[in-house]
Each structure stands twice: as C-alpha cells, then as structure tokens.
Amino acid sequence: MKNFLTTTAVALALALPAYAAQDEVKEQIKDTASEAATAVENTADKVGETVAETADKVGETVAETADKMTPDTDQSMVQPPAIMPAEGYAVVEPATVTVEELEGARVYDANNEWIGEISKIIAEPSGQITTLVVDVGGFLGIGEKPVALNFDSFRLFRADDGKDLKAHVSTTQEELENMPEYES
C-alpha cells in the first residue's frame, strides 16, 4: 500500500502542473481569439467606410457626366441624309406619318444599308413627334442598343404601293453604336 500511495503522489505531483498549464493555455487562446475578433471587426469597419466613400465618388462622377450629356448634344451630330429615294419609293413629309407607321420601321444609313429599327417614338403632349429610339447592333434581337435621335435627323421614304416605310439617317451603324444608350 505504501508503494501505491507513493506512486499516486508522484503521479499527482507530475500531473498537477500540466493540468494547471492547461487552464492557462485556454485563457491565452480565449484572449488571442478575442483580439483577432476585434481586429477583424475594425478592419471590416474600415473597409465599409472605404467602400462608402468610393461609392459616393463614383456617384458624383456619374452625376457630373450625366449633367454634361444632353439629348441635343448627343443628337446634334446626326443630320438628315441627302439621298435620293430608292426605286419604288418616294420621299414622305414627316408630318404625314403616323406613330403606328413609324414603330418597327427599318432604319438605313446613307448607303442604304439596314442598321436597325425604330423601337420607340417620343412625342410632345400635342402629339408632335420629337425623338425616335433606334435599336442598333446585336444579332437576332440579342444585344441591341437603343439610341435616341431627333425626329428631324431622319428622312422618310414610302413604297409606291404605300405598304412599306423606310427611315434613313446620315450616320453609320458604328457611329450610332458609339452614342450613349437610351434609357427610358
């Protein structure tokens, strides 16, 4: 029995410091975890502030750019083409054309090449048409870009049989695709 008590005393003498050290290690881990959580929280706050500041700067830049862009500025480069009607077509006075006839009409450049179609007509409350939105580019209706042009920049032609209406502009498809996108 004396041996048993001696062995137990030696075992306890060796184990107690290790057991006490285990509690100390747990406290160090808790402290380290707490410090890491605080550092992450502080970093997240700084990132949030930076993102908010950047978003404000981008918003200001977009607003300044939008203020500089007016429909008259963007559309003034487009003038009515000086072309003769194709065979079987005659020049049409814009005042004689209805909204229904214009919507979906094909648009051609000065070289009589198809570049898009009219997707939207904008009129004043009096009914006078002011702007035509032309969908240009894309493939099979996918990826088209709507651009707004003054109604005065179009030259209209109607087929002799009265069934087809063509709209011509003096710009190329590439020039239209480089214009700002119309957003309704």
Side-chain angles (χ1 to χ4, degrees):
M1 175 84 160
K2 203 177 196 190
N3 282 341
F4 176 74
L5 290 175
T6 304
T7 305
T8 304
V10 170
L12 284 173
L14 293 174
L16 281 177
Y19 185 73
Q22 181 182 12
D23 288 339
E24 191 176 306
V25 168
K26 284 181 183 178
E27 283 301 314
Q28 288 177 348
I29 290 172
K30 285 181 185 177
D31 291 344
T32 303
S34 177
E35 289 171 9
T38 302
V40 167
E41 187 176 312
N42 291 341
T43 302
D45 288 345
K46 288 178 184 177
V47 168
E49 290 171 7
T50 303
V51 168
E53 290 170 5
T54 303
D56 288 343
K57 288 178 184 176
V58 169
E60 290 170 7
T61 302
V62 168
E64 289 170 6
T65 303
D67 288 343
K68 292 177 185 176
M69 298 174 68
T70 63
D72 292 335
T73 303
D74 297 333
Q75 297 174 16
S76 65
M77 68 179 209
V78 181
Q79 301 298 321
I83 62 171
M84 298 302 295
E87 187 174 329
Y89 284 82
V91 175
V92 177
E93 287 301 316
T96 65
V97 178
T98 66
V99 170
E100 291 80 20
E101 290 175 306
L102 280 172
E103 194 153 354
R106 293 174 68 108
V107 179
Y108 297 84
D109 66 9
N111 296 322
N112 204 29
E113 293 180 15
W114 175 71
I115 57 174
E117 56 275 329
I118 298 171
S119 63
K120 185 172 185 166
I121 295 111
I122 301 169
E124 293 179 354
S126 65
Q128 182 179 356
I129 298 169
T130 59
T131 306
L132 298 179
V133 177
V134 179
D135 290 338
V136 294
F139 181 72
L140 297 175
I142 299 172
E144 291 179 331
K145 177 182 176 180
V147 295
L149 301 169
N150 287 330
F151 184 50
D152 295 339
S153 65
F154 287 84
R155 189 132 193 223
L156 304 175
F157 300 95
R158 186 184 313 274
D160 290 340
D161 64 8
K163 293 182 181 178
D164 187 31
L165 183 70
K166 290 182 176 183
H168 286 259
V169 292
S170 62
T171 57
T172 65
Q173 180 172 347
E174 183 178 337
E175 289 171 327
L176 290 176
E177 288 174 350
N178 288 327
M179 289 180 66
E181 185 171 341
Y182 170 77
E183 295 180 23
S184 56

